[in-house]
Amino acid sequence: MKRELKPEAILFPAPVLIIGTYDEKGEANAMNAAWGGVCSSTPPCVAVSIRESRKTYENICASCAFTVNFPGVQHLREADYFGIVSGKDEDKLEKTGLHTKRAEHVNAPYIEEFPLALECKVVKVVEIGSHKQVIGEITGILAEEEVLDEKGRPDVEKIKPLIFDTVASEYRCIGEPAGKAFHDGKVFMK
């Protein structure tokens, strides 16, 4: 029997997404945003939800661009720090010693030390309660060679991306494969 719980923001797993932006002076900023995910296949788009008071939101509104960077488990502390401190108060990238480069297709920085980055141009902003949901079309993907599979696609086991447990406020790693998508359910199609 199920027990009824009070409504709260729960989603398993939540990705750890580091959003890269430039401010009005061209200085790079990074923010940890766990509220995000894919929202369209064609065109390929992601959505991230950000509080309007955040420097990252200001930067996105000014430039209409951002990157979504995927930290590996080896950068857990840096990723967590990006969610603790505001870019309005200090230079988070300088403090962590991480480096950025300008993305190739949008006016936003990506983090060199992270294995995968999505370059996004803003296509829509939706107001949702405490957050603004920023929808970005993926205009480019930058991946380190060593995290690609034999077909040249990002390999989740090589990236070792962090995920966020919204209930326990813990970072976790992705586990072993449990099954094959678009295949294992075909057993019911007989």
Side-chain angles (χ1 to χ4, degrees):
M1 180 168 160
K2 289 187 174 36
R3 181 168 57 156
E4 187 173 337
L5 306 174
K6 70 177 178 88
E8 62 179 302
I10 294 178
L11 181 66
F12 295 114
V16 175
L17 308 172
I18 305 301
I19 309 305
T21 59
Y22 285 125
D23 68 13
E24 66 284 347
K25 298 175 191 169
E27 294 178 16
N29 184 47
M31 176 192 147
N32 185 327
W35 300 162
V38 172
C39 64
S40 174
S41 299
T42 308
C45 293
V46 293
V48 293
S49 294
I50 303 169
R51 289 185 186 270
E52 189 173 6
S53 62
R54 301 295 190 242
K55 182 173 180 64
T56 295
Y57 183 73
E58 291 175 17
N59 294 350
I60 288 172
C61 288
S63 68
C64 293
F66 61 97
T67 60
V68 177
N69 299 267
F70 295 85
V73 68
Q74 70 274 28
H75 289 106
L76 182 149
R77 289 184 178 120
E78 292 88 341
D80 188 51
Y81 176 73
F82 290 155
I84 296 172
V85 176
S86 172
K88 291 179 179 179
D89 300 325
E90 59 186 79
D91 185 336
K92 296 186 266 186
L93 292 157
E94 181 181 326
K95 191 90 164 191
T96 59
L98 295 178
H99 305 90
T100 62
K101 278 193 175 173
R102 184 174 299 278
E104 295 180 26
H105 300 283
V106 297
N107 182 27
Y110 67 91
I111 299 172
E112 289 185 86
E113 290 83 356
F114 293 177
L116 183 68
L118 309 178
E119 301 178 53
C120 302
K121 72 174 181 179
V122 175
V123 293
K124 190 171 190 173
V125 177
V126 180
E127 187 169 334
I128 304 175
S130 61
H131 288 68
K132 301 279 188 170
Q133 185 175 62
V134 180
I135 300 169
E137 181 178 344
I138 301 168
T139 59
I141 300 174
L142 299 164
E144 293 292 337
E145 232 8 93
E146 62 265 14
V147 300
L148 300 178
D149 66 15
E150 64 282 346
K151 294 180 182 175
R153 299 173 304 187
D155 183 327
V156 71
E157 289 185 17
K158 292 178 181 178
I159 295 170
K160 297 183 184 351
L162 293 169
I163 54 176
F164 178 61
D165 177 340
T166 58
V167 174
S169 289
E170 293 178 333
Y171 295 107
R172 296 182 173 263
C173 297
I174 292 178
E176 297 294 317
K180 195 72 174 158
F182 308 107
H183 176 271
D184 291 355
K186 289 182 180 178
V187 67
F188 298 106
M189 296 172 73
K190 295 179 181 178

